[in-house]
Amino acid sequence: MKLTCTSLIFLSAASASSFADADSLSFADTVSFERAQAQQSSLEQCFPTSIPWVNYEGNDYIFSRLKYNSVCVDEKEQQYEWGAIQGVYPSIATEGGGCSNLCVKGYGEAEAKGCTSSKRPDPRKLVGFEYDCDEATCYCLYEKDTLSSKYDKCFDGMDTSNRGSGDVALTTTNQGTTCYSLHIQPSNPQPRTPTRKPTRKPTRKPTRKPTRKPTRKPSPTPGKSICVRSPDYKCYKTGRPQCCSENGGRDCPDHMTKCDNYPEGMTGTSYCTYSPDFDCYENGRPSCCDKNPSNCPPTQMRQEEVG
């Protein structure tokens, strides 16, 4: 039996505890809230952070997860053309399998249709991939003008209308898919440049720009509690604050909390990690940082404002 992300969500939701104030919520709100609880655990199953490197023809292909519920775009916010590969079930972090391996090296069904290694698109034109867990589909992303009808046998579907070019620079919100950017480097770099460690570029390059335009300040539609407001997938991994997925949401504050949907490897996302400011705060930082940092307000407030 194969389970997609949706299957995982519904299996988990069946055992999720209800919100303490659930009696005051509508049935639709309660169901939506319980699904949000289940999504928190299934996100990591559908969209893992650690994707094995792919070694192919003298190059290492290194993929890094950006934001959950996103699609990849270039610096002009244009999406990339893609070739789809269907039937790729979790976990996509499987050694020798998953979207990364299939996008770079191809797959058996395509080869059976006549798409041999010499007839596949140049993998050096890849910029990343997007994965849709519910549809169990990989979308191999390419720079503009790479794909054409001659590659029909290499994919289960194609879209050549998008005009994205260059490296992945940003993400835009798209519920259900997640963007993985790509860095390509020689498998055996020259020993004269040991400072170019393979772990830097895949994490630093995609993490600076993607966080500037995606929202830092959520503006959800008012609801009966922060756990049943309209989902904000730019700000939160599951569309709702992390506390909604813990202890039935009973520990949530009465205000929206900090965002938690950040690219792999990004640091400095919480003001609770900033240098202490004893001129403003008695303990150097807002009091919420000493209790449960994930429940702090989205933006830092002065001590006299937060009490």
Side-chain angles (χ1 to χ4, degrees):
M1 176 181 179
K2 296 179 178 178
L3 297 179
T4 65
C5 187
T6 301
S7 303
L8 293 168
I9 289 172
F10 280 103
L11 286 171
S12 301
S15 60
S17 59
S18 59
F19 188 63
D21 195 30
D23 291 341
S24 66
L25 305 180
S26 68
F27 174 76
D29 284 342
T30 302
V31 171
S32 176
F33 168 70
E34 290 181 345
R35 286 181 181 174
Q37 287 183 299
Q39 283 178 338
Q40 183 71 32
S41 60
S42 62
L43 272 176
E44 285 75 16
Q45 298 178 44
C46 283
F47 310 112
T49 294
S50 299
I51 298 292
W53 294 12
V54 178
N55 179 272
Y56 185 67
E57 294 186 344
N59 288 319
D60 288 329
Y61 292 76
I62 308 169
F63 294 86
S64 300
R65 178 189 58 75
L66 299 189
K67 283 198 167 188
Y68 295 107
N69 293 298
S70 66
V71 292
C72 305
V73 294
D74 65 9
E75 58 184 7
K76 296 181 180 180
E77 299 190 19
Q78 297 183 107
Q79 294 186 45
Y80 298 91
E81 57 185 41
W82 51 258
I85 302 176
Q86 300 173 344
V88 185
Y89 293 87
S91 166
I92 60 170
T94 304
E95 192 75 36
C99 301
S100 55
N101 199 71
L102 301 178
C103 288
V104 174
K105 296 183 177 180
Y107 63 113
E109 292 184 13
E111 292 179 356
K113 292 187 293 185
C115 181
T116 58
S117 59
S118 61
K119 296 181 180 180
R120 288 198 303 267
D122 185 349
R124 292 171 297 182
K125 294 288 187 179
L126 275 168
V127 296
F129 70 81
E130 294 158 0
Y131 182 59
D132 188 318
C133 192
D134 290 339
E135 295 181 0
T137 300
C138 303
Y139 295 90
C140 306
L141 306 178
Y142 294 88
E143 292 200 58
K144 65 179 181 180
D145 301 325
T146 299
L147 300 180
S148 65
S149 58
K150 71 178 182 179
Y151 297 119
D152 283 343
K153 296 179 180 180
C154 298
F155 301 102
D156 297 315
M158 288 193 305
D159 186 338
T160 61
S161 62
N162 296 325
R163 308 303 294 166
S165 62
D167 292 335
V168 174
L170 304 163
T171 60
T172 57
T173 303
N174 187 67
Q175 186 179 358
T177 63
T178 288
C179 165
Y180 288 79
S181 64
L182 172 63
H183 168 64
I184 304 174
Q185 67 177 28
S187 299
N188 297 303
Q190 294 297 320
R192 292 180 299 176
T193 57
T195 55
R196 294 188 177 181
K197 295 182 180 180
T199 56
R200 289 192 174 182
K201 283 194 175 180
T203 55
R204 290 190 178 180
K205 195 167 186 178
T207 55
R208 290 186 179 178
K209 287 188 177 179
T211 57
R212 290 184 180 176
K213 287 198 174 181
T215 56
R216 291 273 180 112
K217 296 181 180 180
S219 54
T221 303
K224 295 178 181 178
S225 80
I226 66 171
C227 294
V228 295
R229 297 187 184 189
S230 299
D232 183 351
Y233 292 99
K234 288 183 179 180
C235 183
Y236 302 109
K237 294 178 181 179
T238 66
R240 292 182 171 84
Q242 181 180 341
C243 63
C244 295
S245 303
E246 301 170 351
N247 195 26
R250 296 176 181 85
D251 301 326
C252 285
D254 58 2
H255 57 75
M256 298 308 290
T257 65
K258 294 192 291 81
C259 298
D260 65 1
N261 190 8
Y262 294 105
E264 171 189 347
M266 183 175 179
T267 59
T269 59
S270 172
Y271 52 77
C272 290
T273 63
Y274 295 170
S275 298
D277 182 356
F278 292 99
D279 292 335
C280 182
Y281 305 103
E282 181 179 355
N283 296 322
R285 296 182 177 87
S287 58
C288 66
C289 296
D290 298 325
K291 299 174 183 178
N292 187 347
S294 64
N295 282 353
C296 285
T299 56
Q300 188 172 359
M301 303 175 69
R302 294 190 62 82
Q303 184 68 24
E304 58 265 27
E305 293 179 281
V306 297

